[in-house]
Amino acid sequence: MWLAKALLPLAFVGLVLAPLQAAAAADRKQVFGNYVVHYNALLTDMLQPEVAQANNITRSRNRGMINIAVLRNGDNPMGTAVPARVSGQAVNLSGQLRTLRMREVREGDAVYYIAVFPVAGEETLDFSLEITPEGANAQPFNVRFRQTLVGY
């Protein structure tokens, strides 16, 4: 039950990923004081066609997508979605840089950020994100993670 509640603010992730992948996405997070940053990357061909169309995303095995949500802990045990400034880049093992052009998406109370980028074959990407929640009086949060995407 707690997993379903934790994924509620990440409605987009829950809609587009298979159940096991959604559970794995719930574990992809970093905590910064009262804030939790959830993140995941996937190939856009994993999106349901209607979700991709509604978000103007081309489904493809050679396009990746990153999804980021920022929650603030407080009165709501699931956390409260907060807007943020989000920027980032991804670098493959050959050193090729991809600047991530983030787009904010709002669905009800959920706020998340997505960016789409090219993927060539099987690529291991090192993601580097800088996140500043709206109203936070702190240094930007730095999130770094490595993920392998298998395109064609």
Side-chain angles (χ1 to χ4, degrees):
M1 181 70 171
W2 72 268
L3 180 59
K5 287 182 179 181
L7 286 177
L8 184 61
L10 298 173
F12 188 70
V13 172
L15 286 173
V16 301
L17 299 177
L20 290 176
Q21 292 165 322
D27 294 332
R28 302 218 62 181
K29 66 181 181 182
Q30 288 188 25
V31 178
F32 299 91
N34 289 332
Y35 294 92
V36 180
V37 176
H38 292 267
Y39 55 90
N40 195 35
L42 63 143
L43 292 174
T44 61
D45 74 330
M46 296 177 69
L47 300 173
Q48 296 297 323
E50 58 277 3
V51 173
Q53 183 177 8
N55 288 282
N56 197 28
I57 298 171
T58 301
R59 295 177 72 235
S60 173
R61 287 192 53 90
N62 64 1
R63 296 176 65 82
M65 183 186 89
I66 186 169
N67 182 16
I68 299 141
V70 181
L71 304 177
R72 181 178 52 240
N73 295 324
D75 296 335
N76 183 345
M78 296 185 314
T80 302
V82 294
R85 277 193 324 270
V86 180
S87 61
Q89 60 186 25
V91 179
N92 66 15
L93 298 179
S94 298
Q96 296 169 317
L97 176 71
R98 292 172 180 92
T99 299
L100 302 173
R101 300 191 197 300
M102 298 294 177
R103 177 168 50 108
E104 182 180 270
V105 178
R106 291 182 182 240
E107 290 181 351
D109 292 336
V111 180
Y112 48 91
Y113 299 85
I114 59 175
V116 177
F117 51 89
V119 175
E122 181 175 334
E123 284 196 287
T124 299
L125 298 167
D126 289 316
F127 291 89
S128 177
L129 308 170
E130 188 171 281
I131 301 164
T132 305
E134 188 174 275
N137 295 325
Q139 294 293 321
F141 306 148
N142 293 305
V143 175
R144 293 183 187 353
F145 69 99
R146 176 176 277 189
Q147 189 162 339
T148 300
L149 298 174
V150 182
Y152 68 91

PDB file of all heavy atoms in Angstrom, residues 43-71:
ATOM      1  N   LEU A  43      13.586   3.976 -22.272  1.00  0.00           N
ATOM      2  CA  LEU A  43      13.393   4.203 -23.704  1.00  0.00           C
ATOM      3  C   LEU A  43      11.947   4.623 -23.923  1.00  0.00           C
ATOM      4  O   LEU A  43      11.034   4.116 -23.263  1.00  0.00           O
ATOM      5  CB  LEU A  43      13.699   2.934 -24.499  1.00  0.00           C
ATOM      6  CG  LEU A  43      15.164   2.498 -24.505  1.00  0.00           C
ATOM      7  CD1 LEU A  43      15.314   1.149 -25.197  1.00  0.00           C
ATOM      8  CD2 LEU A  43      16.048   3.540 -25.162  1.00  0.00           C
ATOM      9  N   THR A  44      11.720   5.538 -24.859  1.00  0.00           N
ATOM     10  CA  THR A  44      10.366   6.037 -25.059  1.00  0.00           C
ATOM     11  C   THR A  44       9.433   5.005 -25.681  1.00  0.00           C
ATOM     12  O   THR A  44       8.214   5.174 -25.626  1.00  0.00           O
ATOM     13  CB  THR A  44      10.357   7.319 -25.918  1.00  0.00           C
ATOM     14  OG1 THR A  44      10.906   7.033 -27.204  1.00  0.00           O
ATOM     15  CG2 THR A  44      11.136   8.433 -25.236  1.00  0.00           C
ATOM     16  N   ASP A  45       9.960   3.914 -26.237  1.00  0.00           N
ATOM     17  CA  ASP A  45       9.061   2.885 -26.766  1.00  0.00           C
ATOM     18  C   ASP A  45       8.331   2.151 -25.647  1.00  0.00           C
ATOM     19  O   ASP A  45       7.373   1.429 -25.895  1.00  0.00           O
ATOM     20  CB  ASP A  45       9.799   1.902 -27.681  1.00  0.00           C
ATOM     21  CG  ASP A  45      10.683   0.921 -26.948  1.00  0.00           C
ATOM     22  OD1 ASP A  45      11.202   1.271 -25.858  1.00  0.00           O
ATOM     23  OD2 ASP A  45      10.879  -0.191 -27.455  1.00  0.00           O
ATOM     24  N   MET A  46       8.739   2.363 -24.397  1.00  0.00           N
ATOM     25  CA  MET A  46       8.053   1.755 -23.259  1.00  0.00           C
ATOM     26  C   MET A  46       6.798   2.530 -22.864  1.00  0.00           C
ATOM     27  O   MET A  46       5.986   2.041 -22.090  1.00  0.00           O
ATOM     28  CB  MET A  46       9.006   1.662 -22.066  1.00  0.00           C
ATOM     29  CG  MET A  46      10.194   0.753 -22.323  1.00  0.00           C
ATOM     30  SD  MET A  46      11.339   0.736 -20.938  1.00  0.00           S
ATOM     31  CE  MET A  46      10.364  -0.127 -19.723  1.00  0.00           C
ATOM     32  N   LEU A  47       6.637   3.730 -23.393  1.00  0.00           N
ATOM     33  CA  LEU A  47       5.456   4.531 -23.081  1.00  0.00           C
ATOM     34  C   LEU A  47       4.225   3.948 -23.755  1.00  0.00           C
ATOM     35  O   LEU A  47       4.302   3.456 -24.883  1.00  0.00           O
ATOM     36  CB  LEU A  47       5.643   5.967 -23.564  1.00  0.00           C
ATOM     37  CG  LEU A  47       6.798   6.763 -22.985  1.00  0.00           C
ATOM     38  CD1 LEU A  47       6.933   8.107 -23.697  1.00  0.00           C
ATOM     39  CD2 LEU A  47       6.621   6.966 -21.505  1.00  0.00           C
ATOM     40  N   GLN A  48       3.098   4.020 -23.081  1.00  0.00           N
ATOM     41  CA  GLN A  48       1.844   3.656 -23.715  1.00  0.00           C
ATOM     42  C   GLN A  48       1.590   4.667 -24.829  1.00  0.00           C
ATOM     43  O   GLN A  48       1.866   5.859 -24.659  1.00  0.00           O
ATOM     44  CB  GLN A  48       0.705   3.677 -22.694  1.00  0.00           C
ATOM     45  CG  GLN A  48       0.852   2.654 -21.587  1.00  0.00           C
ATOM     46  CD  GLN A  48       0.830   1.234 -22.134  1.00  0.00           C
ATOM     47  OE1 GLN A  48       0.092   0.931 -23.077  1.00  0.00           O
ATOM     48  NE2 GLN A  48       1.636   0.366 -21.550  1.00  0.00           N
ATOM     49  N   PRO A  49       1.075   4.244 -25.985  1.00  0.00           N
ATOM     50  CA  PRO A  49       0.876   5.178 -27.104  1.00  0.00           C
ATOM     51  C   PRO A  49       0.067   6.417 -26.727  1.00  0.00           C
ATOM     52  O   PRO A  49       0.423   7.531 -27.123  1.00  0.00           O
ATOM     53  CB  PRO A  49       0.139   4.331 -28.145  1.00  0.00           C
ATOM     54  CG  PRO A  49       0.563   2.930 -27.846  1.00  0.00           C
ATOM     55  CD  PRO A  49       0.715   2.863 -26.343  1.00  0.00           C
ATOM     56  N   GLU A  50      -0.992   6.248 -25.953  1.00  0.00           N
ATOM     57  CA  GLU A  50      -1.824   7.401 -25.604  1.00  0.00           C
ATOM     58  C   GLU A  50      -1.093   8.364 -24.665  1.00  0.00           C
ATOM     59  O   GLU A  50      -1.286   9.584 -24.735  1.00  0.00           O
ATOM     60  CB  GLU A  50      -3.170   6.966 -24.998  1.00  0.00           C
ATOM     61  CG  GLU A  50      -3.084   6.110 -23.767  1.00  0.00           C
ATOM     62  CD  GLU A  50      -2.868   4.620 -24.028  1.00  0.00           C
ATOM     63  OE1 GLU A  50      -2.717   4.200 -25.191  1.00  0.00           O
ATOM     64  OE2 GLU A  50      -2.847   3.864 -23.039  1.00  0.00           O
ATOM     65  N   VAL A  51      -0.239   7.842 -23.802  1.00  0.00           N
ATOM     66  CA  VAL A  51       0.548   8.698 -22.902  1.00  0.00           C
ATOM     67  C   VAL A  51       1.590   9.466 -23.702  1.00  0.00           C
ATOM     68  O   VAL A  51       1.787  10.666 -23.506  1.00  0.00           O
ATOM     69  CB  VAL A  51       1.210   7.858 -21.783  1.00  0.00           C
ATOM     70  CG1 VAL A  51       2.171   8.708 -20.957  1.00  0.00           C
ATOM     71  CG2 VAL A  51       0.148   7.230 -20.896  1.00  0.00           C
ATOM     72  N   ALA A  52       2.255   8.777 -24.634  1.00  0.00           N
ATOM     73  CA  ALA A  52       3.250   9.444 -25.480  1.00  0.00           C
ATOM     74  C   ALA A  52       2.599  10.548 -26.300  1.00  0.00           C
ATOM     75  O   ALA A  52       3.111  11.671 -26.366  1.00  0.00           O
ATOM     76  CB  ALA A  52       3.926   8.426 -26.396  1.00  0.00           C
ATOM     77  N   GLN A  53       1.461  10.251 -26.897  1.00  0.00           N
ATOM     78  CA  GLN A  53       0.772  11.246 -27.712  1.00  0.00           C
ATOM     79  C   GLN A  53       0.339  12.439 -26.872  1.00  0.00           C
ATOM     80  O   GLN A  53       0.522  13.587 -27.274  1.00  0.00           O
ATOM     81  CB  GLN A  53      -0.434  10.619 -28.395  1.00  0.00           C
ATOM     82  CG  GLN A  53      -1.153  11.575 -29.324  1.00  0.00           C
ATOM     83  CD  GLN A  53      -2.308  10.920 -30.043  1.00  0.00           C
ATOM     84  OE1 GLN A  53      -2.686   9.794 -29.752  1.00  0.00           O
ATOM     85  NE2 GLN A  53      -2.883  11.628 -30.994  1.00  0.00           N
ATOM     86  N   ALA A  54      -0.213  12.195 -25.697  1.00  0.00           N
ATOM     87  CA  ALA A  54      -0.681  13.282 -24.831  1.00  0.00           C
ATOM     88  C   ALA A  54       0.457  14.187 -24.388  1.00  0.00           C
ATOM     89  O   ALA A  54       0.247  15.373 -24.117  1.00  0.00           O
ATOM     90  CB  ALA A  54      -1.402  12.703 -23.608  1.00  0.00           C
ATOM     91  N   ASN A  55       1.680  13.640 -24.319  1.00  0.00           N
ATOM     92  CA  ASN A  55       2.835  14.416 -23.877  1.00  0.00           C
ATOM     93  C   ASN A  55       3.760  14.801 -25.021  1.00  0.00           C
ATOM     94  O   ASN A  55       4.876  15.248 -24.791  1.00  0.00           O
ATOM     95  CB  ASN A  55       3.599  13.634 -22.804  1.00  0.00           C
ATOM     96  CG  ASN A  55       2.836  13.595 -21.503  1.00  0.00           C
ATOM     97  OD1 ASN A  55       2.839  14.571 -20.755  1.00  0.00           O
ATOM     98  ND2 ASN A  55       2.139  12.507 -21.240  1.00  0.00           N
ATOM     99  N   ASN A  56       3.296  14.591 -26.267  1.00  0.00           N
ATOM    100  CA  ASN A  56       4.054  14.969 -27.460  1.00  0.00           C
ATOM    101  C   ASN A  56       5.449  14.344 -27.480  1.00  0.00           C
ATOM    102  O   ASN A  56       6.448  15.020 -27.706  1.00  0.00           O
ATOM    103  CB  ASN A  56       4.135  16.497 -27.577  1.00  0.00           C
ATOM    104  CG  ASN A  56       4.533  16.933 -28.963  1.00  0.00           C
ATOM    105  OD1 ASN A  56       4.272  16.232 -29.937  1.00  0.00           O
ATOM    106  ND2 ASN A  56       5.202  18.072 -29.059  1.00  0.00           N
ATOM    107  N   ILE A  57       5.488  13.032 -27.227  1.00  0.00           N
ATOM    108  CA  ILE A  57       6.747  12.285 -27.205  1.00  0.00           C
ATOM    109  C   ILE A  57       6.686  11.201 -28.274  1.00  0.00           C
ATOM    110  O   ILE A  57       5.708  10.452 -28.351  1.00  0.00           O
ATOM    111  CB  ILE A  57       6.986  11.645 -25.823  1.00  0.00           C
ATOM    112  CG1 ILE A  57       7.106  12.728 -24.747  1.00  0.00           C
ATOM    113  CG2 ILE A  57       8.218  10.751 -25.838  1.00  0.00           C
ATOM    114  CD1 ILE A  57       7.125  12.195 -23.336  1.00  0.00           C
ATOM    115  N   THR A  58       7.721  11.107 -29.085  1.00  0.00           N
ATOM    116  CA  THR A  58       7.806  10.055 -30.094  1.00  0.00           C
ATOM    117  C   THR A  58       8.279   8.769 -29.441  1.00  0.00           C
ATOM    118  O   THR A  58       9.325   8.747 -28.780  1.00  0.00           O
ATOM    119  CB  THR A  58       8.787  10.463 -31.211  1.00  0.00           C
ATOM    120  OG1 THR A  58       8.327  11.683 -31.792  1.00  0.00           O
ATOM    121  CG2 THR A  58       8.899   9.383 -32.269  1.00  0.00           C
ATOM    122  N   ARG A  59       7.509   7.689 -29.615  1.00  0.00           N
ATOM    123  CA  ARG A  59       7.904   6.382 -29.084  1.00  0.00           C
ATOM    124  C   ARG A  59       8.958   5.792 -30.019  1.00  0.00           C
ATOM    125  O   ARG A  59       8.759   5.716 -31.222  1.00  0.00           O
ATOM    126  CB  ARG A  59       6.694   5.451 -29.009  1.00  0.00           C
ATOM    127  CG  ARG A  59       5.648   5.918 -28.022  1.00  0.00           C
ATOM    128  CD  ARG A  59       4.418   5.024 -28.026  1.00  0.00           C
ATOM    129  NE  ARG A  59       4.768   3.751 -27.403  1.00  0.00           N
ATOM    130  CZ  ARG A  59       4.606   2.563 -27.985  1.00  0.00           C
ATOM    131  NH1 ARG A  59       4.111   2.465 -29.200  1.00  0.00           N
ATOM    132  NH2 ARG A  59       4.940   1.469 -27.362  1.00  0.00           N
ATOM    133  N   SER A  60      10.092   5.386 -29.441  1.00  0.00           N
ATOM    134  CA  SER A  60      11.167   4.843 -30.263  1.00  0.00           C
ATOM    135  C   SER A  60      12.181   4.116 -29.391  1.00  0.00           C
ATOM    136  O   SER A  60      12.402   4.497 -28.246  1.00  0.00           O
ATOM    137  CB  SER A  60      11.861   5.992 -31.010  1.00  0.00           C
ATOM    138  OG  SER A  60      13.005   5.519 -31.685  1.00  0.00           O
ATOM    139  N   ARG A  61      12.821   3.081 -29.958  1.00  0.00           N
ATOM    140  CA  ARG A  61      13.890   2.378 -29.247  1.00  0.00           C
ATOM    141  C   ARG A  61      15.220   3.125 -29.348  1.00  0.00           C
ATOM    142  O   ARG A  61      16.204   2.685 -28.765  1.00  0.00           O
ATOM    143  CB  ARG A  61      14.047   0.953 -29.777  1.00  0.00           C
ATOM    144  CG  ARG A  61      12.915   0.048 -29.339  1.00  0.00           C
ATOM    145  CD  ARG A  61      13.202  -1.403 -29.610  1.00  0.00           C
ATOM    146  NE  ARG A  61      14.461  -1.878 -29.080  1.00  0.00           N
ATOM    147  CZ  ARG A  61      14.640  -2.395 -27.863  1.00  0.00           C
ATOM    148  NH1 ARG A  61      13.637  -2.477 -27.037  1.00  0.00           N
ATOM    149  NH2 ARG A  61      15.826  -2.824 -27.482  1.00  0.00           N
ATOM    150  N   ASN A  62      15.255   4.228 -30.091  1.00  0.00           N
ATOM    151  CA  ASN A  62      16.500   5.002 -30.146  1.00  0.00           C
ATOM    152  C   ASN A  62      16.319   6.398 -29.544  1.00  0.00           C
ATOM    153  O   ASN A  62      17.065   7.318 -29.850  1.00  0.00           O
ATOM    154  CB  ASN A  62      17.066   5.073 -31.565  1.00  0.00           C
ATOM    155  CG  ASN A  62      16.159   5.807 -32.522  1.00  0.00           C
ATOM    156  OD1 ASN A  62      15.103   6.290 -32.167  1.00  0.00           O
ATOM    157  ND2 ASN A  62      16.582   5.892 -33.771  1.00  0.00           N
ATOM    158  N   ARG A  63      15.323   6.523 -28.670  1.00  0.00           N
ATOM    159  CA  ARG A  63      15.096   7.763 -27.924  1.00  0.00           C
ATOM    160  C   ARG A  63      14.888   7.407 -26.457  1.00  0.00           C
ATOM    161  O   ARG A  63      14.073   6.564 -26.121  1.00  0.00           O
ATOM    162  CB  ARG A  63      13.872   8.519 -28.451  1.00  0.00           C
ATOM    163  CG  ARG A  63      14.068   8.998 -29.890  1.00  0.00           C
ATOM    164  CD  ARG A  63      12.832   9.663 -30.440  1.00  0.00           C
ATOM    165  NE  ARG A  63      12.488  10.902 -29.754  1.00  0.00           N
ATOM    166  CZ  ARG A  63      13.027  12.087 -30.000  1.00  0.00           C
ATOM    167  NH1 ARG A  63      13.974  12.185 -30.920  1.00  0.00           N
ATOM    168  NH2 ARG A  63      12.651  13.165 -29.359  1.00  0.00           N
ATOM    169  N   GLY A  64      15.645   8.071 -25.618  1.00  0.00           N
ATOM    170  CA  GLY A  64      15.500   7.878 -24.178  1.00  0.00           C
ATOM    171  C   GLY A  64      14.744   9.038 -23.568  1.00  0.00           C
ATOM    172  O   GLY A  64      14.574  10.091 -24.184  1.00  0.00           O
ATOM    173  N   MET A  65      14.277   8.823 -22.358  1.00  0.00           N
ATOM    174  CA  MET A  65      13.560   9.862 -21.632  1.00  0.00           C
ATOM    175  C   MET A  65      13.949   9.786 -20.159  1.00  0.00           C
ATOM    176  O   MET A  65      14.101   8.690 -19.613  1.00  0.00           O
ATOM    177  CB  MET A  65      12.054   9.656 -21.761  1.00  0.00           C
ATOM    178  CG  MET A  65      11.242  10.750 -21.089  1.00  0.00           C
ATOM    179  SD  MET A  65       9.485  10.388 -21.122  1.00  0.00           S
ATOM    180  CE  MET A  65       9.352   9.464 -19.601  1.00  0.00           C
ATOM    181  N   ILE A  66      14.137  10.925 -19.556  1.00  0.00           N
ATOM    182  CA  ILE A  66      14.375  10.984 -18.121  1.00  0.00           C
ATOM    183  C   ILE A  66      13.156  11.647 -17.492  1.00  0.00           C
ATOM    184  O   ILE A  66      12.545  12.540 -18.092  1.00  0.00           O
ATOM    185  CB  ILE A  66      15.684  11.734 -17.783  1.00  0.00           C
ATOM    186  CG1 ILE A  66      15.971  11.641 -16.289  1.00  0.00           C
ATOM    187  CG2 ILE A  66      15.641  13.169 -18.273  1.00  0.00           C
ATOM    188  CD1 ILE A  66      17.367  12.106 -15.908  1.00  0.00           C
ATOM    189  N   ASN A  67      12.781  11.173 -16.313  1.00  0.00           N
ATOM    190  CA  ASN A  67      11.624  11.664 -15.581  1.00  0.00           C
ATOM    191  C   ASN A  67      12.079  11.992 -14.165  1.00  0.00           C
ATOM    192  O   ASN A  67      12.705  11.148 -13.510  1.00  0.00           O
ATOM    193  CB  ASN A  67      10.538  10.578 -15.581  1.00  0.00           C
ATOM    194  CG  ASN A  67       9.275  11.019 -14.883  1.00  0.00           C
ATOM    195  OD1 ASN A  67       9.069  12.204 -14.638  1.00  0.00           O
ATOM    196  ND2 ASN A  67       8.435  10.066 -14.559  1.00  0.00           N
ATOM    197  N   ILE A  68      11.792  13.206 -13.700  1.00  0.00           N
ATOM    198  CA  ILE A  68      12.233  13.660 -12.379  1.00  0.00           C
ATOM    199  C   ILE A  68      11.043  14.263 -11.650  1.00  0.00           C
ATOM    200  O   ILE A  68      10.286  15.046 -12.237  1.00  0.00           O
ATOM    201  CB  ILE A  68      13.347  14.714 -12.501  1.00  0.00           C
ATOM    202  CG1 ILE A  68      14.547  14.110 -13.221  1.00  0.00           C
ATOM    203  CG2 ILE A  68      13.750  15.263 -11.142  1.00  0.00           C
ATOM    204  CD1 ILE A  68      15.205  15.045 -14.152  1.00  0.00           C
ATOM    205  N   ALA A  69      10.893  13.933 -10.378  1.00  0.00           N
ATOM    206  CA  ALA A  69       9.868  14.536  -9.529  1.00  0.00           C
ATOM    207  C   ALA A  69      10.508  14.930  -8.211  1.00  0.00           C
ATOM    208  O   ALA A  69      11.377  14.218  -7.698  1.00  0.00           O
ATOM    209  CB  ALA A  69       8.718  13.566  -9.284  1.00  0.00           C
ATOM    210  N   VAL A  70      10.087  16.071  -7.672  1.00  0.00           N
ATOM    211  CA  VAL A  70      10.609  16.565  -6.404  1.00  0.00           C
ATOM    212  C   VAL A  70       9.448  16.642  -5.422  1.00  0.00           C
ATOM    213  O   VAL A  70       8.417  17.253  -5.713  1.00  0.00           O
ATOM    214  CB  VAL A  70      11.253  17.961  -6.568  1.00  0.00           C
ATOM    215  CG1 VAL A  70      11.816  18.446  -5.243  1.00  0.00           C
ATOM    216  CG2 VAL A  70      12.327  17.941  -7.648  1.00  0.00           C
ATOM    217  N   LEU A  71       9.621  15.995  -4.271  1.00  0.00           N
ATOM    218  CA  LEU A  71       8.597  16.005  -3.227  1.00  0.00           C
ATOM    219  C   LEU A  71       9.166  16.640  -1.968  1.00  0.00           C
ATOM    220  O   LEU A  71      10.335  16.442  -1.645  1.00  0.00           O
ATOM    221  CB  LEU A  71       8.144  14.581  -2.901  1.00  0.00           C
ATOM    222  CG  LEU A  71       7.612  13.748  -4.064  1.00  0.00           C
ATOM    223  CD1 LEU A  71       7.264  12.344  -3.589  1.00  0.00           C
ATOM    224  CD2 LEU A  71       6.412  14.406  -4.689  1.00  0.00           C
TER     225      LEU A  71
END
